[in-house]
Amino acid sequence: MYKTLREEAYEANMQLPKLGLVLFTFGNVSAVDRDKAVFAIKPSGVPYESLRAQDIVIMDYDAQVVEGTLRPSSDTKTHALLYKTWDDIGGITHTHSTYAVAWAQAGRDIPIFGTTHADHTHQDIPCAPVLTDDMIRGDYEHETGNQILDCFKDKTLSHHEVEMVLLQNHGPFTWGQDAAKSVYNAAVLEEIARMAYLTLQINADTAVLKDTLRMKHFERKHGKDAYYGQGC
Ligand SMILES: O=C(CO)[C@@H](O)[C@@H](O)COP(=O)(O)O
């Protein structure tokens, strides 16, 4: 049972090292079956070069194992909470890709400086702050999902418009209509993060970079707040 779902999750996970987004056992991808209300996720701590489709673990939305012998990813509760809350996403990716993690560790939104970024979203990429003690609902280690949801609970930032987020001090999570799209978004996020970092090495003034002729054109086309960080 769940052979096709396992294969979808397996193939998406194997894209991460191929795209240079992870090393060793970092990161994880899941794929959901909405009809069966389950998702398939990478097992924890298994190197990609030895991962097999039959190793993929089937979970329910309460992060309980439905089928599988290996321990599910340590990020399973985050994937489960996002699937339970956002019923229109089909896949989730988490990586430790270098430039996205650097922005996450710096605790900064990734500013939109140009067309490459704008082709994917008109918003700065938000960095979701670590939850404060009075905001923690469960145990701290498993608050990652709420860190993401808190970032998007403000309707000005839609998880449809922005299919990616940085978790402060941790790294990127992305999602999409299916697992393959969530992996695509993870690769796009890493490239946007790299370009923004290099742009700031050339010109460190974010306000000036956002005030260029092209961004003024963008503002006229999409509105004043189109590209100023909504952050969270
Ligand atoms: O950063 C973390 C732990 O939160 C994970 O993304 C990463 O190390 C992968 O862990 P898993 O092998 O999926 O348990």
Side-chain angles (χ1 to χ4, degrees):
M1 197 169 180
Y2 308 115
K3 184 172 184 297
T4 310
L5 185 61
R6 275 200 170 94
E7 283 170 354
E8 179 189 353
Y10 169 73
E11 283 159 20
N13 273 283
M14 294 310 289
Q15 284 302 306
L16 297 189
K18 283 183 187 146
L19 292 166
L21 297 173
V22 297
L23 289 174
F24 312 129
T25 66
F26 295 178
N28 38 72
V29 184
S30 66
V32 73
D33 181 326
R34 289 290 178 187
D35 295 334
K36 299 189 176 75
V38 296
F39 63 95
I41 193 164
K42 183 200 90 173
S44 186
V46 176
Y48 290 91
E49 62 265 21
S50 55
L51 184 66
R52 303 166 305 166
Q54 59 260 47
D55 297 330
I56 298 292
V57 189
I58 305 297
M59 309 299 297
D60 67 17
Y61 293 169
D62 293 318
Q64 298 305 305
V65 176
V66 171
E67 192 180 274
T69 53
L70 298 178
R71 186 163 47 90
S73 167
S74 51
D75 292 303
T76 296
K77 284 191 174 181
T78 301
H79 291 239
L81 184 60
L82 295 186
Y83 284 130
K84 189 188 281 188
T85 312
W86 293 341
D87 61 5
D88 53 0
I89 63 174
I92 299 168
T93 292
H94 167 53
T95 76
H96 289 202
S97 61
T98 304
Y99 285 88
V101 168
W103 284 90
Q105 291 179 163
R108 283 198 51 193
D109 297 354
I110 303 176
I112 180 169
F113 289 140
T115 307
T116 310
H117 184 140
D119 283 348
H120 296 92
T121 174
H122 300 160
Q123 304 284 347
D124 289 356
I125 309 301
C127 180
V130 173
L131 298 181
T132 57
D133 285 349
D134 64 342
M135 291 170 70
I136 292 184
R137 301 159 184 79
D139 58 274
Y140 179 80
E141 283 311 310
H142 296 104
E143 276 301 306
T144 304
N146 285 309
Q147 203 176 338
I148 296 171
L149 294 179
D150 276 11
C151 191
F152 286 83
K153 69 179 184 300
D154 173 353
K155 292 296 169 241
T156 59
L157 196 59
S158 149
H159 72 273
H160 303 289
E161 157 68 358
V162 182
E163 295 184 318
M164 45 189 76
V165 69
L166 303 174
L167 290 176
Q168 186 182 10
N169 303 129
H170 187 174
F173 271 82
T174 59
W175 47 89
Q177 66 194 31
D178 54 27
K181 180 63 178 339
S182 71
V183 170
Y184 167 86
N185 284 335
V188 164
L189 172 54
E190 176 62 6
E191 188 63 1
I192 286 173
R194 189 172 70 89
M195 290 175 171
Y197 168 77
L198 294 173
T199 301
L200 288 169
Q201 298 303 302
I202 298 165
N203 180 340
D205 191 329
T206 298
V208 165
L209 290 170
K210 285 199 165 207
D211 200 29
T212 60
L213 184 59
R214 173 173 287 278
M215 295 315 274
K216 285 184 185 300
H217 168 72
F218 183 90
E219 177 184 313
R220 278 196 300 275
K221 189 174 176 190
H222 297 290
K224 173 77 183 138
D225 294 336
Y227 57 79
Y228 280 104
Q230 300 294 332
C232 56

